[in-house]
């Protein structure tokens, strides 16, 4: 069981063109320690047991928070880990917010899994998307995390500004070379109140058609399958908040199922 704790924009110093954490998650305020404890207790109260239980901090760049804030969140989980009700912690963060000292701190505080917002393995696509980090930052982050025995996941976002079929599939192949433990694929959607929405309105960004994205996803899934890398998620969870905030883009509540069928169009 994974218990999600959302920290929208927490630790993020950059405004990526696509990002609307509040619209995606329905959360807009950073939780305090008491809220974290309450969420964990709520999930545990209905859990039947069996397997591992993990607290996951999503929606921001956890290692971009101050060390005091990181410590506060991790201390909120600590008692649950000590009494055996929670097995470990996972966090999500940016590749350039990872270094040796940060990883030592995470390991000392029961973090066993780190999900990295890779998004693209093309530097120009990263620049146009306002990511503020390079491909080399991603490679170095993987090297450091794996050197400490951490489980590492990669999040990629096909359809970013500047993306082509070639850059998307190159990204998938380069991610395979990083040897992630798992991957999430989130096709880019245009959300309200984001820089990407402004770009879309001004004609400087053209969203990908669903049929074309589905065909690319089919090939991406095959790339990871051939490498025996698990893709644990394709597309965003279709919450009411998400659906209210989508303006354009290849959204479908079952986009993975579409991609597992025959190709819809040729590239």
């Amino acid at each position: 069981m994974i218990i999600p704790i959302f920290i929208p924009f927490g630790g993020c110093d950059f405004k990526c063109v696509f990002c609307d954490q509040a619209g995606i998650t329905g959360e807009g305020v950073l939780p305090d320690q008491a809220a974290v404890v309450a969420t964990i207790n709520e999930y545990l109260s209905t859990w039947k047991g069996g397997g591992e239980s993990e607290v996951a901090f999503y929606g921001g760049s956890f290692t971009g928070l101050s060390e005091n804030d990181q410590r506060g969140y991790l201390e909120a989980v600590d008692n649950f880990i000590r009494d055996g009700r929670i097995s470990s912690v996972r966090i999500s963060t940016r590749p350039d917010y990872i270094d040796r000292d940060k990883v030592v701190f995470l390991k000392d505080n029961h973090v066993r899994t780190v999900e990295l917002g890779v998004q693209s393995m093309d530097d120009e696509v990263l620049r146009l998307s306002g990511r503020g980090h390079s491909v080399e930052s991603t490679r170095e982050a993987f090297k450091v995390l794996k050197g400490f025995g951490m489980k590492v996941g990669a999040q990629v976002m096909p359809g970013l500004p500047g993306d082509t079929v070639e850059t998307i599939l190159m990204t998938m192949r380069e991610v395979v070379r990083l040897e992630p433990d798992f991957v999430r694929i989130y096709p880019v959607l245009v959300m309200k109140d984001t820089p990407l929405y402004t770009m879309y309105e001004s004609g400087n960004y053209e969203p990908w058609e669903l049929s074309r994205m589905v065909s690319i996803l089919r090939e991406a899934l095959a790339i990871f399958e051939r490498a025996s890398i698990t893709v644990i998620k394709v597309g965003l969870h279709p919450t009411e908040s998400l659906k209210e905030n989508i303006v354009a883009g290849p959204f479908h509540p079952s986009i993975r199922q579409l991609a597992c069928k025959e190709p819809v169009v040729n590239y």
Side-chain angles (χ1 to χ4, degrees):
M1 175 179 67
I2 294 178
I3 301 174
I5 307 291
F6 292 102
I7 52 170
F9 296 116
C12 291
D13 294 328
F14 296 87
K15 178 67 172 179
C16 303
V17 298
F18 52 80
C19 200
D20 177 24
Q21 286 294 337
I24 291 170
T25 65
E27 306 285 344
V29 179
L30 291 178
D32 56 19
Q33 289 188 46
V36 171
V37 170
T39 298
I40 295 171
N41 278 322
E42 180 181 358
Y43 273 80
L44 290 176
S45 69
T46 58
W47 188 44
K48 303 301 182 182
E52 294 192 346
S53 54
E54 184 177 55
V55 172
F57 290 95
Y58 291 137
S61 295
F62 190 87
T63 55
L65 296 168
S66 70
E67 187 168 309
N68 282 340
D69 286 341
Q70 292 181 61
R71 192 180 302 279
Y73 282 135
L74 295 171
E75 285 178 350
V77 186
D78 187 67
N79 285 336
F80 293 96
I81 290 178
R82 292 184 184 280
D83 67 17
R85 288 185 290 167
I86 296 295
S87 305
S88 63
V89 179
R90 79 167 57 193
I91 60 107
S92 61
T93 193
R94 296 167 51 91
D96 54 335
Y97 284 4
I98 287 292
D99 59 35
R100 185 184 185 281
D101 291 341
K102 286 182 171 65
V103 177
V104 169
F105 172 78
L106 295 174
K107 286 206 71 169
D108 287 346
N109 286 276
H110 311 294
V111 177
R112 298 294 176 263
T113 303
V114 176
E115 299 195 28
L116 291 176
V118 172
Q119 319 311 17
S120 174
M121 292 296 284
D122 183 283
D123 279 324
E124 180 63 8
V125 171
L126 292 174
R127 184 188 70 80
L128 292 171
S129 302
R131 284 296 292 165
H133 70 81
S134 66
V135 170
E136 186 55 35
S137 298
T138 296
R139 293 193 178 107
E140 184 60 26
F142 264 86
K143 181 180 178 180
V144 172
L145 287 163
K146 284 187 166 291
F148 278 89
M150 301 288 272
K151 189 175 181 181
V152 190
Q155 175 181 303
V156 291
M157 296 187 67
L160 290 166
D163 252 336
T164 63
V165 171
E166 291 74 22
T167 60
I168 292 172
L169 296 181
M170 178 275 293
T171 287
M172 305 305 172
R173 295 186 184 102
E174 288 298 307
V175 168
V176 165
R177 294 180 65 184
L178 297 172
E179 299 181 343
D181 294 281
F182 59 90
V183 171
R184 298 178 189 267
I185 305 176
Y186 293 127
V188 174
L189 303 174
V190 179
M191 306 289 289
K192 295 177 183 177
D193 302 322
T194 62
L196 192 63
Y197 173 70
T198 303
M199 293 169 64
Y200 166 67
E201 285 285 279
S202 64
N204 292 317
Y205 174 77
E206 183 177 349
W208 287 61
E209 294 180 357
L210 177 62
S211 60
R212 194 169 184 226
M213 180 59 70
V214 165
S215 295
I216 294 171
L217 288 174
R218 184 173 186 271
E219 177 59 25
L221 290 169
I223 289 170
F224 290 117
E225 183 177 0
R226 288 193 292 269
S228 299
I229 294 172
T230 301
V231 178
I232 63 173
K233 181 72 174 175
V234 180
L236 293 168
H237 185 64
T239 64
E240 288 304 314
S241 177
L242 175 69
K243 289 185 283 188
E244 289 171 2
N245 282 277
I246 294 174
V247 176
F251 174 74
H252 190 282
S254 302
I255 194 166
R256 182 174 194 149
Q257 283 70 25
L258 293 181
C260 290
K261 298 178 182 178
E262 288 299 310
V264 180
V265 296
N266 294 322
Y267 297 141

